[in-house]
Amino acid sequence: MKTGTCVATVVLSIMAVMADEKEWTPFEATGTVFQAGGNWLPEGVPGAEDTARFTTAGSYPVVFTGSAVNTNVIAGSSDGTEAIFDLAGNSWQIGILSFQNSAVARFNGGALQVGAQVTTLGTGRRLILEGGAASFLGGLSIASGGALDIRGGEHACAGLSLINPCEEGFSLRMTAGSFVMDSAATLNLNLHSRLILQQMQREELEHRE
């Protein structure tokens, strides 16, 4: 019994050590590459069990030279963060994508997949999809003051809830691209929510049968 307890304790300790939080440090001399270990504190690229934090204030690019998997990704800071993610044809699988304080996350150029938990955008928080393909397996909730801005690409989600618009007057704005909800998805529009589709040609907002 004592031996079993010791083994279990060691295993749990190892698992706890393996899961790290890594803070992106965009102003380091090593540049803007996600896969460069020197761009992270503590040093080293966050792995599949880790949390990647983009909570330094400012606007900065994050360029991928390969695919990545992370348990959690957190964006935002009290002074405002704009993280511009260029996936450059690679994929990024995220368990949970969350926003804090003031945050803008822009995605382009690859395949983004966010796991089964609902991704929520509140006041001062914006998700911009400029290209590539993003899928939100748990759906999207655009809460009071948050915004989803689709400018291109082919995107999908398991459900969409819009509440109150941001300061610019929209909860969801789509100027190009496609946005698909699967057959089990629901679209919830609050009384004060606002959805804008403009300059749409072959692009479409559709509900897949």
Side-chain angles (χ1 to χ4, degrees):
M1 292 294 292
K2 290 183 179 180
T3 302
T5 301
C6 291
V7 171
T9 301
V10 170
V11 171
L12 290 173
S13 298
I14 292 173
M15 291 176 64
V17 170
M18 290 175 62
D20 286 334
E21 286 202 358
K22 304 276 189 172
E23 179 70 35
W24 175 255
T25 56
F27 306 115
E28 296 295 325
T30 45
T32 62
V33 176
F34 182 97
Q35 280 77 16
N39 284 335
W40 299 92
L41 289 176
E43 186 170 352
V45 181
E49 302 297 325
D50 298 334
T51 295
R53 299 179 60 89
F54 300 88
T55 54
T56 299
S59 177
Y60 40 82
V62 182
V63 180
F64 287 67
T65 57
S67 296
V69 179
N70 298 119
T71 298
N72 299 297
V73 171
I74 301 170
S77 66
S78 57
D79 292 325
T81 294
E82 181 183 35
I84 305 166
F85 299 103
D86 181 2
L87 300 186
N90 298 293
S91 66
W92 193 9
Q93 295 182 34
I94 299 171
I96 299 172
L97 174 62
S98 57
F99 296 80
Q100 63 183 27
N101 299 313
S102 177
V104 176
R106 295 167 55 182
F107 292 93
N108 193 11
L112 170 70
Q113 184 184 87
V114 181
Q117 181 166 313
V118 175
T119 300
T120 301
L121 296 164
T123 300
R125 300 162 191 175
R126 179 173 299 189
L127 176 62
I128 302 175
L129 303 177
E130 298 181 316
S135 60
F136 299 87
L137 304 183
L140 288 159
S141 176
I142 315 302
S144 296
L148 172 62
D149 195 347
I150 301 174
R151 301 177 181 178
E154 300 178 356
H155 313 294
C157 76
L160 178 64
S161 177
L162 307 180
I163 304 179
N164 292 323
C166 66
E167 292 181 356
E168 295 180 38
F170 66 90
S171 303
L172 166 60
R173 179 173 64 187
M174 183 174 175
T175 53
S178 66
F179 188 70
V180 176
M181 292 187 292
D182 64 29
S183 59
T186 58
L187 173 61
N188 297 315
L189 301 178
N190 180 274
L191 177 63
H192 301 291
S193 64
R194 191 175 184 192
L195 183 152
I196 299 175
L197 307 178
Q198 60 188 100
Q199 299 177 359
M200 304 300 290
Q201 297 176 8
R202 67 181 179 82
E203 295 81 13
E204 56 194 13
L205 174 71
E206 64 179 70
H207 186 285
R208 181 184 293 164
E209 297 298 332

